[in-house]
Amino acid sequence: MTLIILLPMKNSLMQNLTNHLTMRLNEGQTMRRTALCRLSQSNTKLLLRALFNTVVSLTIIQSAALSAIAQEPPSPRITTSPITAASAASAASSNTLDTPATNIASDQPKKNDVTFDISKTCAVPSYPKIGTRYGLHGDTILKLKIDNAGKIDSFELLRSSGWKALDMLVMQAIVGCQVIPAGNWIPSERLIRYKWVIDPGQVSTGIVDANSCKPSEKLRVANAKEYGLGIVIGVYISPQGKVVDAKVQWGSDNEELDQEALRIAKSCEFTPAENGGKRIGNAESIRFLLKNDR
């Protein structure tokens, strides 16, 4: 750090010093303006020279481009016009590009007319031991909804075999089952009948006599051709065709109706089942529908 000490001076000496500094300051400003002017003139010359060179280069490039364009064939003109069947056929026949043909139809969903065996495709379990012990039999009829991938999306039990245990074996096996080969299919519905039969040709089943059943104001015995789950009562009949026991297999949401179905079933009589010509006791089932469901 420099310490400056100011001493008192006479007025004349201070005035001379001030005038001298002012004159030197003016000389410095004059020299700076002169230098800036010279620098500006020099820059202007350089800028003009660069601009001249650029113009010459652009002229040469433009001449070369025009010469090249003159040697090229003219570009084809693109026009648009309505497409007709004749023009489309003509365009197709004149196509000389070596490209593989595209089968547009292959991307479209196919109609599901494939046949299948539900017991094999969905691996339905074999007859349960309880079925052979009591002679349980019947047809489980289902309506399947098959999705576009060939799988069972949902199903509806249209008619019970008469025994919930047998129906459940089928329904549990088909959940999400791939019934037809995977592909792009039109969603479809299919009715299937899964038959539960014991020793065909040897055992004849018991047949209910609907007229023998006590009448009801609400329920009636369904015939074999009618669809509808209804209320299903499983019964065990004696060799004489009398009902020994009865249990609800598929009930309704109405307990009163279920009990009414049990009461009617116990009153029914059957033509007894036979095995080799001999009457036997056997399990049968009765399905009831509402009287106004016809």
Side-chain angles (χ1 to χ4, degrees):
M1 176 181 294
T2 303
L3 179 61
I4 301 175
I5 300 175
L6 297 177
L7 298 176
M9 296 182 181
K10 292 183 178 182
N11 291 337
S12 60
L13 181 59
M14 180 64 71
Q15 182 65 37
N16 291 335
L17 181 58
T18 300
N19 293 336
H20 179 72
L21 290 175
T22 300
M23 182 180 65
R24 297 297 300 272
L25 180 60
N26 292 335
E27 290 177 356
Q29 291 176 349
T30 302
M31 293 177 64
R32 184 168 64 251
R33 283 197 297 268
T34 303
L36 289 173
C37 182
R38 290 176 180 175
L39 180 60
S40 177
Q41 292 175 355
S42 177
N43 288 342
T44 300
K45 291 179 180 180
L46 292 174
L47 181 61
L48 290 174
R49 184 176 302 166
L51 181 60
F52 175 77
N53 292 336
T54 301
V55 172
V56 172
S57 299
L58 289 175
T59 302
I60 294 173
I61 293 172
Q62 185 178 12
S63 299
L66 290 173
S67 177
I69 291 174
Q71 296 175 1
E72 292 180 356
S75 301
R77 185 176 60 180
I78 300 175
T79 59
T80 58
S81 59
I83 298 177
T84 62
S87 63
S90 176
S93 63
S94 62
N95 183 12
T96 58
L97 296 178
D98 187 14
T99 56
T102 302
N103 186 5
I104 299 177
S106 63
D107 296 334
Q108 301 298 320
K110 298 174 289 185
K111 181 180 179 181
N112 178 7
D113 54 2
V114 180
T115 59
F116 56 87
D117 183 346
I118 197 75
S119 63
K120 296 179 180 178
T121 56
C122 299
V124 178
S126 58
Y127 224 111
K129 290 182 179 180
I130 190 174
T132 56
R133 185 185 308 166
Y134 294 102
L136 305 185
H137 61 90
D139 297 348
T140 300
I141 301 178
L142 298 164
K143 180 169 72 172
L144 310 180
K145 291 187 177 182
I146 304 173
D147 63 17
N148 58 358
K151 292 184 177 181
I152 295 177
D153 180 62
S154 62
F155 57 84
E156 178 184 356
L157 179 60
L158 293 183
R159 198 168 76 199
S160 170
S161 63
W163 307 99
K164 190 172 184 178
L166 300 184
D167 298 332
M168 292 300 296
L169 283 178
V170 181
M171 292 190 291
Q172 290 173 354
I174 68 174
V175 174
C177 177
Q178 185 83 45
V179 289
I180 59 176
N184 188 14
W185 302 96
I186 298 174
S188 60
E189 294 183 350
R190 192 77 63 89
L191 291 180
I192 64 164
R193 179 191 299 265
Y194 194 88
K195 299 182 71 68
W196 299 94
V197 181
I198 297 178
D199 195 13
Q202 296 295 321
V203 177
S204 62
T205 61
I207 302 173
V208 64
D209 180 4
N211 294 325
S212 68
C213 302
K214 288 184 178 180
S216 170
E217 295 180 355
K218 299 178 181 179
L219 300 174
R220 61 182 177 84
V221 177
N223 63 59
K225 295 181 179 180
E226 289 181 291
Y227 286 131
L229 180 58
I231 300 173
V232 181
I233 306 296
V235 298
Y236 192 82
I237 60 175
S238 69
Q240 291 74 35
K242 300 294 183 179
V243 175
V244 178
D245 193 13
K247 294 185 180 301
V248 176
Q249 298 298 309
W250 290 101
S252 66
D253 296 331
N254 189 322
E255 179 65 21
E256 183 181 349
L257 285 178
D258 294 346
Q259 293 302 317
E260 175 73 358
L262 272 173
R263 182 188 68 81
I264 302 171
K266 290 178 181 179
S267 70
C268 296
E269 296 182 0
F270 286 77
T271 300
E274 294 184 358
N275 184 2
K278 182 180 179 180
R279 291 186 174 186
I280 60 172
N282 198 36
E284 301 295 339
S285 63
I286 309 174
R287 185 166 51 104
F288 295 94
L289 298 176
L290 293 173
K291 277 194 169 180
N292 55 3
D293 288 349
R294 285 189 180 273

